[in-house]
Amino acid sequence: MTLRLIEEGAKKSSVLWLALPAGTRLAWHVWHDGAIHVVTGGGEQELPGLAGSPEIEVILRSKDNGAQLVRFPATVTVLNQAEHPEVVAALAKERLNAIDSTALTARWATHSLVVRLTPLNAG
């Protein structure tokens, strides 16, 4: 498995699946700086158990036919949003149909977690 395949799959589709302790969940995401980033909680997608897991399994599927492209383990890191404004900006840009687009990042800073999923064993 190569990082290039993971990056290509992550960039081609805005959704992925996460194997969480409570079951597999669909999540929207962005690829930024060599990793996948998601927002959870605070009125955004609920991804129970993600922030407390040291590692999670990620499944990327083909946007064309839904077939599994790649499944891989990733480390889970909750980011300090103030220290990663470029990640927050990338996520906000890709957030479709937000009801509060002008206050989105302020809401995230107060009520949501931004999580980085870094692929393991991808060379």
Side-chain angles (χ1 to χ4, degrees), residues 6 9-10 17 23-24 37 39 41 48 57 66-67 73 75 77 86-87 93 95 101 106 110 118:
I6 293 170
W17 283 257
T24 302
H37 296 82
V39 178
E57 188 144 26
T75 58
T77 307
E86 72 288 352
V87 172
K93 181 181 174 190
R95 176 61 171 99
S101 57
T110 305
T118 305

Side-chain angles (χ1 to χ4, degrees), residues 6-40:
I6 293 170
E7 179 178 2
E8 184 178 324
K11 285 182 173 181
K12 284 188 176 181
S13 179
S14 60
V15 296
L16 50 71
W17 283 257
L18 300 173
L20 299 171
T24 302
R25 296 278 178 108
L26 179 69
W28 68 272
H29 72 281
V30 296
W31 178 268
H32 181 78
D33 197 24
I36 290 168
H37 296 82
V38 298
V39 178
T40 183

Side-chain angles (χ1 to χ4, degrees), residues 55-78:
E55 188 177 302
I56 200 80
E57 188 144 26
V58 179
I59 301 116
L60 295 173
R61 297 190 176 275
S62 168
K63 188 174 181 176
D64 297 327
N65 62 17
Q68 183 174 299
L69 290 175
V70 63
R71 183 180 195 122
F72 60 93
T75 58
V76 176
T77 307
V78 176

